[in-house]
Amino acid sequence: MHNKTKLLIFASLLLAACSTDPMQEIPNRGDSAPEIETSGKICNTSDDAVAGSLIVKFGEEAIPSLEQNALNAAKTRSALTRSGIESVDDILNDLHVTSLERVFPEAGEHEARTRAAGLHRWYVLGFASEEDLDKAAERLAGVAEISKVQFRTRLYRASDCKTYPFQATANGQTRALVTADFNDPNLFWQWHYINNADQAVATTSVAGADINVADAWKLTAGNPEVIVAIVDEGVKYTHPDLAANMWINPNPSPEYGKQDIHGWNFVTDGPISWGQKGDSGHGTHVAGTVAAVNNNGIGVCGVAGGTGKGDGVRLMSCQIFSGDLTGDALVSSRAVKYAADHGASILQCSWGIKAGIYTSDNMFIKQSPMDYEALQYFAAQKNCEALDGGLIIFPPATNRQPCPAIRQAIVIISPSPRSRPTTCRPIIPTTVPAVISRLPAAKRAV
């Protein structure tokens, strides 16, 4: 039964991958994406990268000098801008670097495992946006103390960012073949949970083209020990159908001004937001699919939202899109690390990068080593007894926007009400089952 429960927890979160959403329109690199020719240490290209910043990985031998310089800067309450290593600082001087800081801040009780994973060696440099990124990268790659240089590739939402307000009409007259005991009024319209071929949903509906959640709920409807990090837009934690299932940080961090109650906005480095110009509500939408509170007499059901007795999974908001501001490799990697260190067991990642950049696992590992190491760090943590390690979920790859390849990931495409589920192999190898079915042009309720 323990193994069955674990598999159901896995399955219950799969639907949260927002593959039913039309993807955000993204510039395409073309049909072919050959391996990038670099100068060895330079991992990727400046194509679609953030200006005025680079990420570098120092060799272990350089860390004592860097950390001593950081201590000296802290004593004078000044920003760290130099490494204390002459060959590196000559370049930092020429670039007029204004900031030099660890990508992953000192992690307190988790610092030992952070260092064991090598994450303490990643630093981010800030300088004028007018500087030539490629020339800066070439110079930094030329010093022995730096082992890798990575550009900050931009991220894109796995959605068209349009909202489709839900308007219920009269329920269909089809006899309910499959039912659930929950009293949420809009469960009827969640055909992807329970599909009885109701004509009010779609005239071509096929009974059983769903995720069989009614059977799963008989065994488990959630587990409050499981924390799911929603890596997306901010989650509206005050929403009446989400509030009871929001994660509450038992020890808000001084590093975040003790304001990281339900998570953090890693784009603005501030509290979670959701009502800015440019926000679409996608983070809240995804959170509702994962764990809207079940059996509470309002709204919809969440796949792992519990039974109305406080037994749903908990939702952590790790915000990487904020209004018109978009994240990048630095932002997402920090969000992933935060989730791992604050108890999350599952990452729901509704984002991707420009199409064609990665076409294989090896390309991702080679060209985005910092991202890969952060995801590996998350996958290595056993933050609750329900799972043996971190579970990472990305939207499926498409011809416009692939998901980063990571062997612990699960890829899913949700069914449409008029299609029978079909299975196929994912484009990336996995160590856990992948659930794949057809992609519809379906509307979603916010």
Side-chain angles (χ1 to χ4, degrees):
M1 179 59 72
H2 178 65
N3 288 334
K4 284 185 178 180
T5 301
K6 286 170 58 181
L7 289 173
L8 284 167
I9 295 287
F10 289 5
S12 70
L13 273 302
L14 287 174
L15 187 61
C18 288
S19 49
T20 56
D21 296 325
M23 305 296 277
Q24 182 178 1
E25 194 65 45
I26 300 170
N28 204 310
R29 292 165 56 96
D31 294 330
S32 61
E35 288 280 347
I36 296 172
E37 295 294 331
T38 68
S39 59
K41 295 180 181 180
I42 300 176
C43 304
N44 54 350
T45 76
S46 59
D47 180 34
D48 209 27
V50 174
S53 184
L54 283 170
I55 299 165
V56 299
K57 188 176 187 179
F58 284 95
E60 190 62 53
E61 71 281 357
I63 299 303
S65 294
L66 277 160
E67 294 183 344
Q68 184 58 55
N69 251 28
L71 285 174
N72 294 339
K75 289 177 182 177
T76 60
R77 297 184 178 182
S78 57
L80 178 66
T81 61
R82 299 296 180 266
S83 67
I85 303 166
E86 184 176 358
S87 58
V88 176
D89 287 344
D90 286 344
I91 300 172
L92 302 188
N93 286 331
D94 291 345
L95 292 175
H96 306 290
V97 167
T98 56
S99 64
L100 174 65
E101 62 181 26
R102 272 178 54 165
V103 169
F104 307 104
E106 203 281 333
E109 62 179 310
H110 303 303
E111 180 65 10
R113 73 186 193 189
T114 299
R115 289 177 174 271
L119 296 182
H120 66 298
R121 294 167 51 193
W122 287 102
Y123 278 72
V124 56
L125 288 66
F127 44 85
S129 59
E130 293 79 17
E131 291 286 348
D132 187 306
L133 279 178
D134 292 301
K135 290 181 180 178
E138 288 286 351
R139 291 200 63 189
L140 289 165
V143 296
E145 291 81 3
I146 291 176
S147 62
K148 295 182 187 297
V149 181
Q150 183 176 332
F151 297 97
R152 291 175 57 179
T153 305
R154 288 184 174 86
L155 307 180
Y156 294 93
R157 295 168 170 88
S159 167
D160 63 1
C161 302
K162 298 177 182 178
T163 59
Y164 302 89
F166 173 68
Q167 295 180 343
T169 58
N171 291 3
Q173 300 302 311
T174 305
R175 180 171 61 90
L177 303 176
V178 181
T179 61
D181 295 330
F182 299 151
N183 61 10
D184 307 78
N186 290 317
L187 174 58
F188 170 86
W189 295 99
Q190 294 180 279
W191 56 264
H192 43 301
Y193 291 5
I194 301 172
N195 192 339
N196 289 309
D198 298 284
Q199 299 301 294
V201 176
T203 58
T204 55
S205 294
V206 176
D210 54 37
I211 62 170
N212 298 316
V213 74
D215 290 334
W217 281 340
K218 293 174 184 177
L219 296 175
T220 180
N223 184 337
E225 295 180 4
V226 177
I227 299 170
V228 182
I230 307 297
V231 188
D232 199 312
E233 293 183 15
V235 175
K236 186 177 181 180
Y237 53 78
T238 59
H239 193 291
D241 218 8
L242 294 176
N245 280 342
M246 291 301 303
W247 170 71
I248 299 175
N249 190 349
N251 298 297
S253 311
E255 176 189 346
Y256 303 104
K258 295 190 175 182
Q259 297 185 71
D260 57 328
I261 308 301
H262 303 291
W264 194 247
N265 184 335
F266 293 90
V267 186
T268 64
D269 195 26
I272 300 164
S273 63
W274 57 81
Q276 307 298 315
K277 180 183 177 182
D279 286 329
S280 69
H282 194 266
T284 301
H285 156 63
V286 169
T289 301
V290 175
V293 181
N294 294 340
N295 211 28
N296 62 348
I298 63 172
V300 298
C301 284
V303 178
T307 64
K309 300 177 181 178
D311 52 354
V313 300
R314 295 299 181 254
L315 298 162
M316 176 191 294
S317 182
C318 292
Q319 187 171 356
I320 62 168
F321 300 106
S322 185
D324 293 326
L325 301 177
T326 185
D328 59 79
L330 174 72
V331 171
S332 62
S333 294
R334 283 176 166 171
V336 169
K337 176 67 161 53
Y338 177 95
D341 286 345
H342 288 79
S345 297
I346 299 175
L347 282 181
Q348 164 52 44
C349 305
S350 292
W351 49 269
I353 39 76
K354 182 188 289 187
I357 291 181
Y358 308 130
T359 59
S360 70
D361 277 8
N362 288 335
M363 285 183 70
F364 174 67
I365 295 168
K366 177 182 177 181
Q367 296 175 24
S368 296
M370 178 191 65
D371 316 47
Y372 179 73
E373 289 181 23
L375 290 169
Q376 288 288 85
Y377 178 86
F378 181 89
Q381 309 313 320
K382 184 176 180 179
N383 283 330
C384 75
E385 291 300 318
L387 297 172
D388 293 330
L391 181 66
I392 304 162
I393 303 175
F394 276 95
T398 72
N399 63 350
R400 289 207 307 255
Q401 187 174 23
C403 64
I406 176 77
R407 286 179 172 83
Q408 281 76 8
I410 289 180
V411 182
I412 182 171
I413 307 176
S414 300
S416 97
R418 56 188 178 274
S419 67
R420 298 183 184 277
T422 58
T423 58
C424 62
R425 292 186 60 186
I427 64 165
I428 58 174
T430 62
T431 56
V432 289
V435 180
I436 311 285
S437 57
R438 294 196 183 106
L439 175 67
K443 293 185 176 182
R444 60 183 170 87
V446 177

